Amino acid sequence: MIQIIHSNVKGRARYKIDELYRSQSLKIYLERSLANYPEIISVAANVLTSNILVIFQPDVSYRKIAYFIDKALSAYKDKAGFTDVETLVKPTKKDKLTVSKYEQKTENWHLMTADNVLQSLNTSHISGLSNETANKHLNKYGKNLLSATVTRSQISMLIEQFKSLPVALLGVAAGISIFTGGIIDAVVILGVVGLNAAIGYVTESQSERIINSLKNRSEKSIWVIRDDKLQEIPTENVVLGDILVLKPGSYIAADARIIEVDNLTIDESALTGESVPVSKNPTLLHGEDVPLADRLNMIYKGTLVINGQGLAAVIATGKFTEMGKIQQLVSEATTTQTPLAKQLDQVGSQLVFISMGLCGLVFGMGVLRGYNLLAMLQSSISLAVAAVPEGLPTIATTTLALGIRDMRKNKVIVRSLNAVEALGSVQTICLDKTGTLTENKMSVVEIVTDSKHIQVRDGEFITGEKIINPYTYNELLKLIHVAILCNESEVSKKNDADEYLVTGSATENALIYTAISAGVDVMALKEKYPLLQTNLRSENRNLMSTIHATHNCQQMVAVKGNPAEVLQLCHRWMKNGEVVPLIAEDRQKIEIENDRLAGKALRVLGVAYGYIEEVENNNNHESDLIWLGLVGMADPIRKGAKELIANFHQAGINTVMITGDQSPTAYAIAKELELNRHPQLEILDSNNLNNLTPEALAALSDKVDVFARISPSNKLQIVQALQTSGKVVSMTGDGINDAPALKAAQVGVAMGKEGTDVAREVADIVLEDDRLETMMIAVSRGRTIYNNIRKSVHFLLATNLSEIMVMTTATAVGIGEPLNAIQLLWLNLVTDIFPGLSLAMEAPEPDVLNQPPRNPNEPIIKNTDFGRIVFESAVISISTLAAYGYGIFKYGISPKASTLAFMTLTSGQLLHTISSRSEKHSIFSQEKLPPNPYLTTAVVGSFGIQIFALVVPQLRSLLKIAPLNMVDTAVISGGALLPLLVNEGTKKIS
């Protein structure tokens, strides 16, 4: 069926084709066959959205295009039968193991009964597939592997260092120098380019190595039923129709439909973002659009069995699994260029035009004055080379590399140089809830007994403002003891130390850890009350009970579960240390407290106990129980997360929470974090999001604080919508489901400790110890780096422009060439790189995190800055020309006069470094800037190199400079100091 989605724009229409969903072969067939029609300009099909976008001649009707699509679709069905696409898609040598020759069936398996699923797959939950059938399926559909995520190779990292426009300009300048005979010039320029590439390559390759070392190693084998036997096979050999045997701790190797379960719970947080383990059952579901997280009769590749056991029939392997679908989203997501990269390229583009213009201008003036044609060509090209600041790429690369080094000290691994700066310009940060804002593990946060509301925080029990000791409060201690006994988690001690090792479900582990923090010896308690019998939850019974031996003739029954069901079994309760009857008024109070805790999005358990006679042999032990209280659990917010959100807001960064949880849970967490920027917290559910057009979502995305019930493709949509609205976006996450959005964001931030490999492989930044608050350090560093690079660019443009002004003015007036080609190059090397780099190492300004993020469209040098740059350059140029004029007056147009100009311009530019430290502060300001030892070293060192060139005969000969006397030295000193005093005195001082 073909559905027309958008056709308002002439010559452009979008259609939905249900059969296109996850069918790569149909995508290729449609794109190839439709492109043959002369009316059609281009075709783009998407196998994840089932949409196809067609661009066609404006005078053609969109209905005619729909007819072409329908015709192509019919031809495909006749040819391929939706399965055999061997002739359409030929796997490459590299993809032979992972790309199947046949498409796997795509059915709504969750809407089919277990028997129908088995029948459709031609398998049995008793005998499984035969080994012969399994081998046929393996040959037909390929191995159960995902294509490896493409990581950056060493050679690609090296090549990337040469891709910026400023580096390209230097390469062109070196080529021109070789062409005109300036071999030394070319060698020096290429040396600068090589140094820049080496710094960037070494820094990025180190980060890549660290990130790769964090990778987890997944399970290599899994248990299945084949030929009526239990067999352990490699996970890559799992095929369609295999019966998976599920047990605690095993990873799910493929997508499968549940056939049988016994108290089976699965951790799906990496895929769906749900922090609470999901109880599974084989029951048939109803409804067309059941979200992934609500498909309780399905399990998915990459998730983990927490508790219980079961059988499941494999319905998808390899690239056809939900994880494969996410990986395809990752491959389709495109990275976005960072603001600094755009700005440096823009400056480079401007320098190209300036260089070409000056080259032509000087050459033309020289020819008109009758100068030698070849000599003028060499001079004008040298001037064009001088217009390109050799220090620009090196300063940017080295500054960003130093930023990466500083980040590593704080356990923040930055994959690429530009990511540091981009984080400093982020305007909106999308925060994944599970595992990022929260710890992705359940913890007890509140306990309600007879009359006390007890908060549990950082291992302390607090009522009101008072910390209480559980051993002085009988009701609380009894509740903790019963919660330990009615618990399947296994507890042991690590190497006879005091630290416990707890293995079990997240909920039961949380109860154990609460008991440990209360000072209870868990292992001793379990030994004191040996377990005799366990009665697990069942489909219509949401509670668990255990029976324990005691030191007297009775046996103790420990019960926990759904509060309403547990409360029905209770006739007494513990109040003020005594067991008293539970009356209707008491029951009503307990129910109100249960509703209050549930309203805070907590998972609530009721806890009770009782005693039975040892001789009892019936199943009537879950009756006449004694009520102890309610236990509220949640996936706790990470320590420091609330303060971090406040810091983001103070820095002018908008925060958006994205989660797979239900809206009430998401709302409660967002409220606790104070996530909203406006009085009203705005939340958008995926059901509403799916009905929005991309334009509407882009308009709405900036106003929403929380997105709930979100799928991986939704996360990608949200990031792209924010980018469409003009925002620089950062995305944080740790799960498989976060990977597409992490890649699409300007800055993707993944967790290094608890995060998944998929998330780390596509992220720009990895938090090695999962401490989210280190992001503020990165934001501060990023903003400082940009401000400092801006100071360096200002300095480079001002000094290089002064060279151009000096050369152009001298040529126009006809007073010879103040500087020769090698002097221009030397000047750039001495005054550009180290002084410029020292400016890039200025300390952060005190209010750097109190300012809003900069506009990414704002150029690195604003229009208002150009007037100031021209003024500063003119002052340096006039002073240099005055010194050169003095030299001509005294020595004529000679090397001596040229030396005066050369030394004055070099010294003036070096002192201009001091003036470039701040736009608002000057050497005359009462409030002084913090010291910059790097700048002092750079300026003094550069002066030393300049003096060294003057006194070493070989260098003096190379540069064609002459010795100076005391009067010449005084002229040079005055010519260098005067621009500094004028430029500092004319600043708008704040």
Side-chain angles (χ1 to χ4, degrees):
M1 178 185 172
I2 300 169
Q3 179 186 350
I4 300 167
I5 301 174
H6 294 297
S7 60
N8 295 335
V9 181
K10 281 190 176 183
R12 178 187 172 96
R14 195 184 298 274
Y15 307 83
K16 189 176 183 68
I17 305 168
D18 293 339
E19 295 88 341
L20 184 59
Y21 180 64
R22 293 176 74 178
S23 176
Q24 189 69 21
S25 58
L26 179 55
K27 166 187 162 73
I28 293 170
Y29 185 86
L30 287 174
E31 288 178 343
R32 287 180 181 173
S33 58
L34 292 174
N36 293 326
Y37 289 97
E39 295 90 342
I40 294 176
I41 298 169
S42 68
V43 184
N46 189 311
V47 297
L48 299 176
T49 60
S50 302
N51 292 348
I52 183 167
L53 175 66
V54 185
I55 310 295
F56 49 92
Q57 302 294 342
D59 56 342
V60 177
S61 166
Y62 66 86
R63 296 188 185 281
K64 187 175 182 180
I65 302 299
Y67 168 75
F68 290 155
I69 296 172
D70 186 60
K71 191 176 176 183
L73 187 60
S74 300
Y76 172 81
K77 289 179 179 178
D78 293 339
K79 261 188 181 183
F82 280 95
T83 51
D84 187 358
V85 292
E86 188 172 0
T87 58
L88 297 173
V89 184
K90 298 207 175 204
T92 62
K93 203 178 218 179
K94 182 182 175 183
D95 296 328
K96 273 184 182 172
L97 290 178
T98 57
V99 176
S100 63
K101 299 177 183 178
Y102 292 79
E103 298 283 331
Q104 294 183 2
K105 288 183 182 177
T106 302
E107 303 278 0
N108 289 325
W109 302 102
H110 55 286
L111 303 180
M112 298 169 61
T113 63
D115 289 339
N116 286 345
V117 170
L118 293 171
Q119 188 177 353
S120 178
L121 295 170
N122 293 319
T123 189
S124 162
H125 68 289
I126 297 170
S127 58
L129 295 174
S130 65
N131 281 316
E132 183 183 354
T133 303
N135 287 330
K136 283 180 181 176
H137 283 188
L138 196 62
N139 291 326
K140 184 177 180 181
Y141 297 117
K143 288 184 177 276
N144 179 36
L145 293 171
L146 299 174
S147 54
T149 306
V150 180
T151 54
R152 297 195 301 168
S153 65
Q154 299 293 315
I155 189 68
S156 68
M157 273 187 278
L158 183 60
I159 290 170
E160 279 174 20
Q161 310 307 320
F162 297 96
K163 285 185 176 179
S164 74
L165 193 52
V167 170
L169 284 176
L170 291 181
V172 172
I176 292 170
S177 297
I178 292 171
F179 180 73
T180 56
I183 302 298
I184 296 174
D185 302 24
V187 169
V188 175
I189 291 173
L190 291 175
V192 171
V193 172
L195 177 65
N196 171 69
I199 292 168
Y201 169 75
V202 169
T203 305
E204 292 190 11
S205 60
Q206 282 177 349
S207 293
E208 202 73 30
R209 270 199 306 275
I210 295 169
I211 291 169
N212 287 334
S213 72
L214 297 172
K215 283 188 177 182
N216 296 315
R217 301 285 172 249
S218 57
E219 296 292 316
K220 299 293 183 187
S221 62
I222 191 169
W223 289 94
V224 298
I225 297 174
R226 284 187 184 174
D227 282 330
D228 209 16
K229 296 176 188 171
L230 194 62
Q231 298 182 25
E232 188 176 13
I233 64 169
T235 55
E236 64 189 47
N237 289 347
V238 172
V239 298
L240 211 63
D242 260 329
I243 303 299
L244 303 181
V245 179
L246 310 173
K247 53 187 179 180
S250 60
Y251 280 90
I252 311 299
D255 291 1
R257 170 68 158 84
I258 297 288
I259 305 300
E260 292 180 1
V261 297
D262 180 9
N263 195 37
L264 181 70
T265 56
I266 306 287
D267 178 3
E268 295 183 340
S269 59
L271 186 66
T272 65
E274 291 267 15
S275 53
V276 179
V278 183
S279 295
K280 296 291 183 176
N281 63 72
T283 309
L284 173 71
L285 298 176
H286 300 281
E288 294 253 340
D289 299 317
V290 182
L292 204 68
D294 293 340
R295 297 179 188 177
L296 302 181
N297 55 13
M298 300 288 296
I299 55 175
Y300 298 101
K301 182 178 176 69
T303 57
L304 178 69
V305 178
I306 295 296
N307 206 356
Q309 53 193 4
L311 300 176
V314 173
I315 54 90
T317 60
K319 68 175 185 179
F320 302 101
T321 61
E322 289 298 325
M323 189 189 280
K325 174 181 171 183
I326 291 172
Q327 191 176 51
Q328 192 161 348
L329 272 175
V330 172
S331 66
E332 290 188 358
T334 54
T335 52
T336 309
Q337 194 180 23
T338 62
L340 181 63
K342 291 179 183 175
Q343 301 296 339
L344 291 178
D345 280 353
Q346 187 179 5
V347 170
S349 302
Q350 291 167 347
L351 289 173
V352 170
F353 293 112
I354 291 170
S355 301
M356 290 172 64
L358 287 168
C359 186
L361 177 65
V362 173
F363 181 74
M365 286 191 300
V367 170
L368 289 173
R369 285 196 162 272
Y371 291 170
N372 180 276
L373 193 67
L374 182 59
M376 278 315 305
L377 180 62
Q378 287 178 327
S379 294
S380 57
I381 288 173
S382 296
L383 189 57
V385 171
V388 181
E390 283 82 354
L392 181 58
T394 305
I395 286 167
T397 302
T398 307
T399 307
L400 293 169
L402 291 171
I404 287 180
R405 187 195 65 182
D406 288 351
M407 291 296 95
R408 283 202 198 120
K409 292 175 184 175
N410 292 289
K411 303 282 188 183
V412 179
I413 307 164
V414 183
R415 176 173 260 122
S416 64
L417 297 176
N418 288 336
V420 179
E421 176 275 331
L423 190 52
S425 60
V426 162
Q427 296 165 305
T428 300
I429 184 162
C430 298
L431 298 154
D432 173 57
K433 186 209 71 137
T434 306
T436 305
L437 287 172
T438 63
E439 295 181 1
N440 195 18
K441 62 180 182 183
M442 297 299 289
S443 292
V444 174
V445 295
E446 190 168 351
I447 298 172
V448 179
T449 56
D450 59 339
S451 59
K452 280 190 170 60
H453 297 78
I454 302 161
Q455 303 292 325
V456 184
R457 289 198 297 267
D458 299 326
E460 294 180 332
F461 299 82
I462 304 164
T463 175
E465 296 296 323
K466 183 183 174 186
I467 297 175
I468 62 171
N469 182 350
Y471 278 87
T472 63
Y473 184 36
N474 289 338
E475 290 91 334
L476 175 58
L477 187 61
K478 189 72 174 180
L479 181 148
I480 291 171
H481 283 178
V482 170
I484 293 171
L485 295 174
C486 187
N487 197 308
E488 284 194 298
S489 289
E490 295 180 8
V491 185
S492 58
K493 283 193 174 181
K494 290 184 181 178
N495 302 324
D496 298 325
D498 291 334
E499 192 177 351
Y500 285 91
L501 182 65
V502 183
T503 310
S505 72
T507 302
E508 298 201 322
N509 286 356
L511 295 170
I512 296 290
Y513 283 121
T514 302
I516 292 169
S517 63
V520 176
D521 188 333
V522 176
M523 296 171 69
L525 186 72
K526 289 201 169 197
E527 287 173 8
K528 184 179 178 182
Y529 298 97
L531 178 66
L532 302 175
Q533 184 179 326
T534 301
N535 304 287
L536 297 172
R537 289 180 304 160
S538 59
E539 193 172 337
N540 299 311
R541 177 178 169 276
N542 291 313
L543 57 85
M544 169 187 174
S545 68
T546 53
I547 302 175
H548 303 265
T550 63
H551 58 276
N552 53 33
C553 296
Q554 290 183 311
Q555 294 174 346
M556 186 173 76
V557 181
V559 180
K560 75 172 191 303
N562 180 286
E565 292 187 34
V566 174
L567 188 60
Q568 283 183 345
L569 303 173
C570 298
H571 298 288
R572 293 172 293 167
W573 72 323
M574 185 171 276
K575 187 175 184 180
N576 297 326
E578 295 181 4
V579 177
V580 298
L582 187 64
I583 60 177
E585 186 181 346
D586 298 326
R587 288 179 184 276
Q588 189 176 10
K589 286 179 181 177
I590 293 169
E591 288 168 359
I592 290 170
E593 287 298 328
N594 180 38
D595 291 341
R596 182 183 65 82
L597 293 177
K600 292 168 69 176
L602 300 183
R603 186 175 191 186
V604 189
L605 293 177
V607 181
Y609 76 104
Y611 292 99
I612 56 174
E613 296 301 324
E614 204 170 336
V615 294
E616 272 191 36
N617 253 340
N618 55 39
N619 294 324
N620 199 29
H621 53 270
E622 293 174 359
S623 60
D624 195 26
L625 298 177
I626 301 164
W627 177 263
L628 286 171
L630 297 164
V631 179
M633 286 181 281
D635 180 5
I637 289 171
R638 280 185 185 275
K639 196 171 182 179
K642 186 175 180 179
E643 292 78 10
L644 178 67
I645 297 296
N647 290 337
F648 278 136
H649 290 169
Q650 186 177 355
I653 300 173
N654 293 332
T655 51
V656 176
M657 187 173 83
I658 301 177
T659 178
D661 281 340
Q662 301 280 0
S663 293
T665 306
Y667 185 85
I669 290 167
K671 268 292 185 190
E672 187 176 346
L673 286 169
E674 296 179 4
L675 199 73
N676 51 308
R677 296 151 283 168
H678 314 291
Q680 181 65 36
L681 183 74
E682 298 295 338
I683 189 165
L684 184 67
D685 192 276
S686 63
N687 292 331
N688 299 320
L689 185 147
N690 291 331
N691 297 325
L692 295 174
T693 63
E695 295 78 14
L697 180 58
L700 192 64
S701 59
D702 194 35
K703 300 177 179 65
V704 176
D705 300 299
V706 181
F707 291 91
R709 302 298 287 164
I710 296 302
S711 70
S713 58
N714 288 150
K715 289 186 178 184
L716 180 59
Q717 280 178 281
I718 292 163
V719 168
Q720 290 174 336
L722 286 163
Q723 289 172 332
T724 302
S725 67
K727 301 294 183 184
V728 177
V729 181
S730 175
M731 172 75 197
T732 67
D734 66 333
I736 302 163
N737 60 333
D738 301 316
L742 285 171
K743 183 179 178 183
Q746 277 96 338
V747 183
V749 183
M751 301 296 130
K753 201 172 178 182
E754 299 295 334
T756 58
D757 289 344
V758 178
R760 281 194 294 269
E761 281 168 359
V762 298
D764 302 294
I765 293 174
V766 177
L767 306 182
E768 194 174 359
D769 58 358
D770 294 0
R771 288 176 61 242
L772 200 60
E773 56 268 30
T774 52
M775 281 186 65
M776 283 312 298
I777 300 170
V779 169
S780 171
R781 183 71 190 178
R783 290 186 178 185
T784 301
I785 283 172
Y786 181 83
N787 291 339
N788 290 349
I789 289 177
R790 190 170 173 276
K791 292 173 187 176
S792 296
V793 171
H794 182 113
F795 166 75
L796 292 173
L797 292 180
T799 52
N800 281 36
L801 185 57
S802 67
E803 297 165 24
I804 294 164
M805 284 181 174
V806 168
M807 292 296 291
T808 307
T809 304
T811 305
V813 174
I815 54 174
E817 290 186 10
L819 305 170
N820 60 42
I822 195 68
Q823 285 174 348
L824 282 168
L825 185 61
W826 175 272
L827 189 65
N828 277 8
L829 291 177
V830 170
T831 63
D832 275 10
I833 297 177
F834 294 110
L837 188 57
S838 68
L839 282 172
M841 299 175 74
E842 285 282 326
E845 296 177 23
D847 60 347
V848 68
L849 289 176
N850 295 329
Q851 302 295 323
R854 62 184 173 82
N855 184 346
N857 298 320
E858 182 181 272
I860 196 165
I861 297 296
K862 296 175 279 190
N863 292 335
T864 54
D865 296 330
F866 279 109
R868 182 68 193 175
I869 289 172
V870 170
F871 175 80
E872 291 170 357
S873 302
V875 174
I876 297 171
S877 302
I878 291 168
S879 186
T880 301
L881 287 168
Y884 182 56
Y886 162 78
I888 293 173
F889 175 76
K890 192 170 180 183
Y891 306 111
I893 299 176
S894 62
K896 196 92 167 176
S898 180
T899 302
L900 280 165
F902 175 57
M903 295 299 292
T904 302
L905 186 55
T906 306
S907 303
Q909 288 186 356
L910 287 174
L911 292 178
H912 191 61
T913 314
I914 299 167
S915 186
S916 299
R917 292 188 67 193
S918 174
E919 296 175 4
K920 304 293 184 184
H921 290 79
S922 82
I923 57 175
F924 306 114
S925 300
Q926 290 184 347
E927 185 185 351
K928 301 300 179 186
L929 290 170
N932 183 350
Y934 301 103
L935 186 138
T936 306
T937 304
V939 172
V940 171
S942 297
F943 267 119
I945 293 170
Q946 190 69 6
I947 294 167
F948 187 69
L950 195 61
V951 298
V952 175
Q954 291 84 354
L955 273 177
R956 202 166 56 227
S957 175
L958 176 67
L959 293 169
K960 297 182 178 65
I961 55 178
L964 300 170
N965 57 38
M966 293 299 291
V967 177
D968 296 335
T969 305
V971 170
I972 292 167
S973 301
L977 278 170
L978 185 63
L980 174 65
L981 297 175
V982 172
N983 287 328
E984 288 292 276
T986 54
K987 280 184 180 178
K988 294 178 181 176
I989 300 170
S990 60

